[in-house]
């Protein structure tokens, strides 16, 4: 038997190499990708092999992540439960795409992941695998094995000469990529506790942010960010720059209690400066160029879209349909938004577009006003008719 394992180099997936090998009498191929976190590939490879893997594949998936996952989700304004920009959720189907390719090349029988039985990530891994390669078996060692605690796992690792990460056990579980960081566990498990400062990895607290605001301007073309402060830039660069500028100004911290697919409520904190800034700016530009109907209707699409992503249904016909709607909706989402970043706040300070529906001569209260005030009388006669009929009846 041959198994492709999603490998991070941490304790769980290191132990998984050995455990899978024994339990399934299998050859283990490790798979790791770069989706924005820095990794020493050479060291990782050595470690995987030393732990018992046959080989390790490493893909740089950053560009694909941005083009095929991040930007469509931004255009869709998809925020799970109105807050979470979905960084972790988006990365899972992307990783599985890579793993399935390797599995086919290696003629593997199964893929394996290190997710637990009560999280969302197992769902994303397995739904994507079922869609892309239904012939592959999926194995989830962490759901199956006998270890009841981290200590037992470490014991097993020591017994089998598996290098245990030397760093002192981190109090948090952290998942990190280009679009954001997800942080759980430790003190965060009590939702009444304010997140300790050491939980945050890339943002400063508002208190420690500069006391002078920083202005930035983001340019969009058909819903996608294309420039920063007037300079054309690759999307990936824009995301990296905004992560840095936002983080430095304390922007992008999200603290929420969310509903997992399995029904558990979990307290999660996120750091996603680029996602927060880009969603804020993008949404503002839509307000300028969308009709009222489109703006309201798209909210329904956004909400459904975010659920599909969160629930692991990235590859589904319904999502394709929503993507088609979203893509068309972005036809006029071109223009610029200026923002003020200040002590954790991301404040809109200006917006413009060649496709703006805003008309100053209609909106103004000065002598430039061209609105026909008299026409309102007839409008209200008719628009007010249902109110009049109901009022009469209710009397
Ligand atoms: N709750 C988030 C999600 O389901 C993030 C989970 C990330 N895992 C972690 N180890 N922090 O997408």
């Amino acid at each position: 038997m041959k198994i492709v394992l999603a490998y991070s180099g941490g304790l769980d997936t290191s132990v998984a190499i050995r455990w899978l090998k024994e339990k399934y009498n299998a050859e283990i191929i490790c798979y790791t990708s770069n989706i924005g976190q820095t990794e020493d590939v050479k060291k990782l490879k050595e470690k995987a092999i030393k732990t018992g893997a046959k080989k390790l594949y490493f893909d740089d998936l950053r560009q694909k992540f941005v083009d095929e996952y991040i930007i469509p989700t931004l255009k869709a304004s998809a925020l799970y439960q109105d807050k979470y920009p979905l960084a972790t959720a988006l990365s899972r189907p992307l990783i599985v795409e890579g793993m399935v390719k390797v599995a086919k090349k290696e003629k593997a029988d199964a893929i394996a992941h290190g997710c637990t039985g009560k999280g969302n990530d197992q769902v994303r891994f397995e739904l994507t695998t079922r869609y892309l390669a239904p012939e592959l078996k999926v194995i989830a060692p962490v759901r199956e094995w006998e270890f009841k605690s981290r200590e037992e796992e470490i014991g097993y690792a020591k017994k089998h000469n598996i290098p245990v990460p030397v760093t002192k056990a981190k109090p948090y579980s952290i998942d990190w990529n280009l679009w954001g960081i997800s942080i759980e566990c430790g003190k965060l498990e009590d939702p009444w506790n304010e997140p300790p400062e050491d939980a945050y990895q890339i943002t400063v607290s508002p208190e420690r942010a500069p006391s002078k605001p920083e202005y930035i301007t983001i340019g969009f073309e058909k819903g996608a960010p294309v420039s920063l402060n007037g300079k054309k830039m690759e999307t990936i660069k824009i995301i990296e720059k905004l992560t840095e500028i936002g983080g430095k100004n304390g922007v992008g911290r999200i603290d929420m209690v969310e509903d997992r697919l399995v029904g558990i409520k979990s307290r999660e904190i996120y750091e996603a400066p680029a996602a927060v800034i880009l969603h804020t700016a993008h949404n503002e530009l839509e307000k300028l160029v969308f009709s009222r109907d489109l703006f309201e209707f798209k909210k329904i699409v956004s909400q459904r879209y975010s659920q599909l992503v969160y629930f692991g249904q990235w590859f589904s016909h319904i999502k394709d349909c929503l993507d088609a709607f979203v893509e068309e909706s972005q036809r006029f989402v071109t223009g610029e938004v200026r923002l003020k970043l200040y002590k954790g706040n991301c404040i809109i300070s200006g917006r413009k577009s060649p496709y703006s529906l805003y008309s100053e001569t209609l909106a103004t209260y000065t002598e430039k006003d061209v609105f026909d005030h008299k026409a309102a009388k007839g409008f209200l006669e008719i628009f007010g008719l249902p109110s009049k009929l109901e009022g009469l009846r209710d009397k």
Side-chain angles (χ1 to χ4, degrees), residues 300-302 304-305 308 317-327:
I300 300 170
V301 173
S302 301
R304 199 67 187 83
Y305 198 106
L308 291 171
H317 189 200
I318 176 171
K319 196 187 130 286
D320 293 343
C321 295
L322 298 190
D323 271 323
F325 170 84
V326 168
E327 198 51 40

Side-chain angles (χ1 to χ4, degrees), residues 181-183 188 195 199-200 254-256 267-271:
I181 304 178
S182 309
I183 309 150
L188 302 170
Y200 292 107
I254 298 162
D255 178 346
M256 70 190 280
R267 198 287 185 88
E268 196 99 21
I269 62 173
Y270 300 105
E271 291 180 282

Side-chain angles (χ1 to χ4, degrees), residues 187-233:
K187 284 218 171 78
L188 302 170
E189 285 181 355
D190 178 349
W192 180 247
N193 285 344
E194 181 174 6
E197 266 315 297
D198 73 347
Y200 292 107
Q201 312 295 312
I202 53 165
T203 56
V204 303
S205 65
E207 295 92 321
R208 284 187 34 230
S211 47
K212 232 183 84 200
E214 179 158 357
Y215 284 88
I216 55 170
T217 304
I218 300 165
F220 289 89
E221 248 164 53
K222 296 198 166 131
V226 292
S227 70
L228 180 59
N229 297 331
K231 261 211 341 246
K232 285 252 174 249
M233 231 179 253

